[in-house]
Amino acid sequence: MTAATRLADIRHRIARAERTAGRPEGATTLVAVSKTFPVEEIRPVIEAGQRVFGENRVQEAAAKWPLLRAETDGIELHLIGPLQSNKAAEAVALFDVIHTVDRDKIAAAIAAEAARQGRRPRLFVQVNTGLEPQKAGIDPREAVAFVERCRSVHGLAIEGLMCIPPAEDAPAPHFALLAKLARAASVEGLSMGMSSDFEIAVGQGATHVRVGSALFGHRG
């Protein structure tokens, strides 16, 4: 299958899941996860009409996307991997959306850089719904208070919440928990669902699904 064929199939599956859930078509944004893939493998996906992309690492994105953005207007770049505070300046400069705000140190660093650069990326708080010690994200029991702290202490507008369920768990309860927390925190964005479960996420109200291997193939 070509990149264009795979992209069309994923878009069709998202639209079908939206219809099944009684949601408006187009309610879910597809974030094409291009991490580890080189420019020459990303270009065909751009040529097929995709404009929203996700990267895990600031440094890798900085090496690839200035060139691709120079070639094509309308690219929207999302940081979906953990952010270190010493990379906040580069992240604020490069990314349109950051999905991985998960502690006060990061919130403060983003706020300082947003003020300094006059640039305000859209922000999601990452929630560790499975309480996995090796995984980034705030404890779900602290998520609502943290969103409020981002607003009141750091002056940040939080658009939504993000999660990555444990690989061995059924994803639906994690998606339902994230949706519940989002309602409690008065945010509308739900960044959840990947290649193996994005249709379930759409059914649970995802506003953004992060799809990599189903679109680009498996990384070597």
Side-chain angles (χ1 to χ4, degrees):
M1 293 174 72
T2 65
T5 304
R6 289 193 296 266
L7 178 61
D9 177 65
I10 292 163
R11 286 177 168 172
H12 171 74
R13 289 165 62 189
I14 290 171
R16 184 175 60 196
E18 288 171 336
R19 287 194 299 273
T20 300
R23 299 180 64 198
E25 187 167 346
T28 313
T29 297
L30 169 61
V31 181
V33 179
S34 50
K35 65 176 184 179
T36 77
F37 286 101
V39 165
E40 55 268 23
E41 292 189 51
I42 299 170
R43 276 198 187 101
V45 180
I46 294 174
E47 289 166 3
Q50 179 66 19
R51 291 294 180 271
V52 182
F53 290 85
E55 290 282 345
N56 261 40
R57 297 179 183 276
V58 175
Q59 209 163 348
E60 182 188 346
K64 296 191 299 196
W65 283 98
L67 171 63
L68 290 166
R69 279 180 149 161
E71 296 172 349
T72 305
D73 290 336
I75 296 292
E76 184 177 282
L77 198 56
H78 293 232
L79 178 63
I80 60 171
L83 176 59
Q84 302 302 319
S85 56
N86 64 351
K87 297 287 186 184
E90 288 177 88
V92 168
L94 184 60
F95 290 95
D96 302 294
V97 188
I98 296 172
H99 291 235
T100 50
V101 182
D102 67 350
R103 56 196 186 279
D104 284 280
K105 186 177 182 181
I106 291 299
I110 290 172
E113 283 303 326
R116 190 177 71 82
Q117 297 182 31
R119 181 174 159 80
R120 296 197 172 271
R122 292 153 49 204
L123 302 173
F124 285 69
V125 165
Q126 182 172 353
V127 182
N128 188 348
T129 56
L131 293 171
E132 296 176 276
Q134 80 283 8
K135 192 172 282 182
I138 196 159
D139 186 316
R141 294 164 293 195
E142 300 172 12
V144 175
F146 178 64
V147 170
E148 179 52 38
R149 211 157 59 244
C150 285
R151 293 172 177 144
S152 61
V153 175
H154 303 294
L156 297 175
I158 300 297
E159 178 172 318
L161 305 180
M162 181 271 246
C163 75
I164 306 170
E168 66 276 9
D169 284 9
H174 293 272
F175 298 156
L177 171 60
L178 198 73
K180 180 182 177 181
L181 292 172
R183 289 191 294 273
S186 300
V187 296
E188 295 186 358
L190 288 169
S191 172
M192 58 190 195
M194 298 187 287
S195 288
S196 62
D197 55 22
F198 67 84
E199 287 152 304
I200 297 170
V202 171
Q204 297 263 5
T207 59
H208 295 74
V209 293
R210 310 177 307 271
V211 179
S213 57
L215 179 55
F216 288 97
H218 289 282
R219 295 158 182 87

